[in-house]
Amino acid sequence: GRLVDDRAAVLALQVDRLDRPELRELGYERVVPRAAWVELELQAGVVLALEYARRRGATATLPDVVEGFASFCRSIQHPDGSFDQCYPNEHTPGVVYDLLTALRYVRNSGYLGPRGKAELTDVIERAVHYAVRADELHGEVANHLANYAYELYAYADETGNTEAKAKADGYVHRLL
């Protein structure tokens, strides 16, 4: 799809409404499965939408939108803190690492109210708690291990979380 006006920035965040005529109007040929949407749009779409709105001076609706985003993230998170990517009940830490930068970006964006910030902080903390206790078992892919370490180091730098730093160190050791 392509961004054609300010409406696209808001639509990019309405990830819980996948079968929408507005998405087709923006050039989406088909609607992808909900779990795949999380991977494709949640991580990049939310950052793109916030930046697009900010640069266009169209931020008035962002507080409501990002509050909805925080609630949506909570609704798709498994009780163990993991998220699905392509299949139901994947329970893989790699998806946490894929989402972590975007989740932190939204939390720190300044558009969340206290309730939404607390909700998204809880989502992030539960996700990291899961990720540092789980491991990827699909192979030793160097760029994946490097990304996992990067995400955990960034989170640890921001929060002081020593478990995240230790897990990042472990990924670097495996990488080398």
Side-chain angles (χ1 to χ4, degrees):
R2 57 188 167 82
L3 295 178
V4 294
D5 58 22
D6 291 340
R7 185 172 52 137
V10 174
L11 286 174
L13 294 177
Q14 292 181 336
V15 294
D16 59 331
R17 297 183 179 142
L18 299 180
D19 193 20
R20 304 276 313 250
E22 294 94 333
L23 292 173
R24 288 188 191 87
E25 289 173 19
L26 291 172
Y28 288 91
E29 295 292 321
R30 65 184 178 85
V31 177
V32 296
R34 184 181 187 109
W37 186 269
V38 170
E39 177 65 15
L40 295 171
E41 297 297 326
L42 192 59
Q43 64 190 24
V46 68
V47 174
L48 174 63
L50 288 178
E51 281 300 307
Y52 181 78
R54 184 183 63 76
R55 290 177 186 184
R56 296 283 303 234
T59 60
T61 60
L62 287 183
D64 289 337
V65 173
V66 294
E67 294 281 338
F69 172 83
S71 294
F72 177 74
C73 289
R74 176 177 294 291
S75 78
I76 64 170
Q77 188 175 36
H78 291 292
D80 66 2
S82 68
F83 295 92
D84 292 335
Q85 181 178 33
C86 293
Y87 304 103
N89 300 304
E90 281 186 278
H91 302 280
T92 173
V95 178
V96 170
Y97 301 133
D98 288 346
L99 297 174
L100 195 53
T101 291
L103 295 173
R104 290 177 34 251
Y105 177 87
V106 171
R107 180 184 62 191
N108 299 329
S109 70
Y111 297 115
L112 279 170
R115 184 192 61 77
K117 190 168 188 174
E119 185 172 40
L120 195 55
T121 296
D122 183 60
V123 166
I124 293 167
E125 288 174 358
R126 288 176 51 228
V128 171
H129 181 81
Y130 166 77
V132 299
R133 286 164 178 72
D135 199 9
E136 281 295 339
L137 303 174
H138 70 275
E140 299 290 302
V141 182
N143 66 314
H144 292 188
L145 296 176
N147 182 61
Y148 304 161
Y150 171 82
E151 293 296 339
L152 287 168
Y153 281 136
Y155 177 79
D157 284 347
E158 182 179 296
T159 64
N161 185 305
T162 57
E163 288 181 305
K165 184 183 180 312
K167 185 74 171 196
D169 290 341
Y171 281 126
V172 168
H173 177 75
R174 282 168 60 184
L175 179 63
L176 299 176

